Amino acid sequence: QVQVVESGGGLVQTGGSLKLSCAVSGSIFAINAILWYRQAPGKQRELVATITSGGTTNYAASVKGRFTTSRDNAENTVYLQMNSLEFEDTAVYYCNAHVAVRRGTSFSYWGQGTQVTVSS
């Protein structure tokens, strides 16, 4: 079994910062990649950022320069540092872990989501 748990969401004013965490635990051989998604009310789920096992990162245009994702391999934890938050960043943020449970495999696991609310 693999568990994915996000934390760190909350209420922040425009221009503020939050740091989300995504902790992956269980029977893990390796974490291949972590994808951060968000879903605002009435909108489709949007890919925000990704980080690979090698540390390569990619960001959506809407967050580039403001959000940074990083990983602590020893703790199997990935972070999403969100700066200069805007009202439009309000959403439930999800962590999607692509995990190898044994060599050569990759399975997708989702966290429960964490609410980020930016007040204008």
Side-chain angles (χ1 to χ4, degrees), residues 6-64:
E6 301 105 332
S7 60
L11 174 64
V12 64
Q13 290 187 328
T14 301
S17 298
L18 281 174
K19 187 174 184 178
L20 306 184
S21 298
C22 172
V24 184
S25 61
S27 301
I28 302 167
F29 177 75
I31 299 175
N32 297 327
I34 295 286
L35 286 66
W36 289 97
Y37 288 84
R38 68 185 180 186
Q39 188 165 22
K43 294 187 177 181
Q44 289 190 329
R45 192 168 291 190
E46 172 191 18
L47 179 61
V48 173
T50 63
I51 184 165
T52 68
S53 57
T56 300
T57 57
N58 280 288
Y59 302 93
S62 58
V63 306
K64 191 172 291 186

Side-chain angles (χ1 to χ4, degrees), residues 23 29 34 40 46 67 70 80 102 112 114 119-120:
F29 177 75
I34 295 286
E46 172 191 18
F67 290 12
S70 59
L80 184 66
R102 56 186 178 277
Q112 80 287 355
T114 186
S119 63
S120 57

